[in-house]
Amino acid sequence: MPVIRKIMPTELPQYRAHLLRLDRTDRYARFAGTLSDEAVERHCAAIDWGRTVILGAFEDGVLRGAIELCGDRLLWPEQAEFGISIESGLQGKGVGSTLVRRILTVARNRGIRHVHIVCLAENSRMRALARRFGGRLALDGGEITSMFDLPAPNQFSIALEALEDGSGAFNSILSGNAIQSRLSTRSRERLAA
């Protein structure tokens, strides 16, 4: 399982690179339509970090999956939406389920009572994830809207987010050390050859 942790604003280039690496089908599914590289770059440049939380799935230090939660506390104080993207190599391995579960906890702990997602009707993976986490599905034209109703935060949900944040940071450090160790070993092998 990859390291899952919150993405910091300074890591925006990694998020942008992840979205740009998505193949045509996965990018179409993430944005519910065709998006050019330039449109992806505009999307990333427009992220308001004051109202957005992004969780990332990192494999060997590279962002390979992400879920973006965005809300506007002034206009819709108890509502938010999310979008999820998983590169093909990690699909079907439980990464999407983990990201959705964790982002729903993050949303709950911020007082968000209703989270929704819009996906294309043919996006069977997203429909399955929505059902798995209790989302109410509604068909609207060629799109599916799913609404998740969240309970108020409690001590358990707050402790769970804090524990997962700590675990993600710790695993990120361990992963970084493992990568450094492999790079050092390869460098020594090259020098010896």
Side-chain angles (χ1 to χ4, degrees):
M1 186 67 139
V3 172
I4 296 180
R5 64 174 176 80
K6 289 179 181 151
I7 295 174
M8 305 305 293
T10 56
E11 297 175 300
L12 180 61
Q14 283 204 55
Y15 184 51
R16 180 175 41 248
H18 156 68
L19 292 175
L20 290 171
R21 274 193 307 274
L22 294 174
D23 64 29
R24 184 181 178 136
T25 303
D26 291 334
R27 192 184 294 187
Y28 189 80
R30 164 59 178 90
F31 293 102
T34 304
L35 223 60
S36 68
D37 288 354
E38 294 78 21
V40 169
E41 290 183 15
R42 281 193 304 274
H43 169 79
C44 291
I47 292 173
D48 179 348
W49 290 94
R51 58 188 198 103
T52 303
V53 176
I54 304 174
L55 293 177
F58 291 83
E59 190 173 58
D60 294 328
V62 179
L63 182 63
R64 298 292 184 189
I67 189 163
E68 181 180 334
L69 176 74
C70 185
D72 189 327
R73 302 303 295 220
L74 294 175
L75 295 176
W76 302 286
E78 294 186 340
Q79 296 188 36
E81 66 178 332
F82 71 80
I84 186 168
S85 52
I86 310 288
E87 292 180 28
S88 59
L90 285 184
Q91 291 177 8
K93 297 181 178 180
V95 175
S97 294
T98 301
L99 288 171
V100 170
R101 180 189 58 76
R102 290 193 48 186
I103 207 68
L104 291 176
T105 300
V106 168
R108 176 183 180 188
N109 288 343
R110 280 144 186 81
I112 296 169
R113 301 302 301 263
H114 309 286
V115 177
H116 65 272
I117 185 167
V118 176
C119 70
L120 298 170
E122 63 265 19
N123 191 339
S124 58
R125 286 182 189 258
M126 195 60 238
R127 289 194 328 263
L129 278 174
R131 280 193 296 274
R132 179 175 182 182
F133 291 96
R136 291 187 325 271
L137 301 173
L139 181 62
D140 183 16
E143 297 179 336
I144 299 282
T145 302
S146 181
M147 178 70 75
F148 302 85
D149 296 320
L150 304 178
N154 60 24
Q155 293 172 338
F156 177 75
S157 68
I158 292 167
L160 178 62
E161 183 179 352
L163 177 68
E164 290 176 334
D165 283 352
S167 173
F170 182 72
N171 288 333
S172 184
I173 291 168
L174 289 179
S175 176
N177 288 341
I179 292 168
Q180 284 296 89
S181 176
R182 283 192 301 247
L183 291 175
S184 295
T185 301
R186 287 182 192 151
S187 295
R188 284 193 300 270
E189 289 171 354
R190 285 187 193 127
L191 288 174

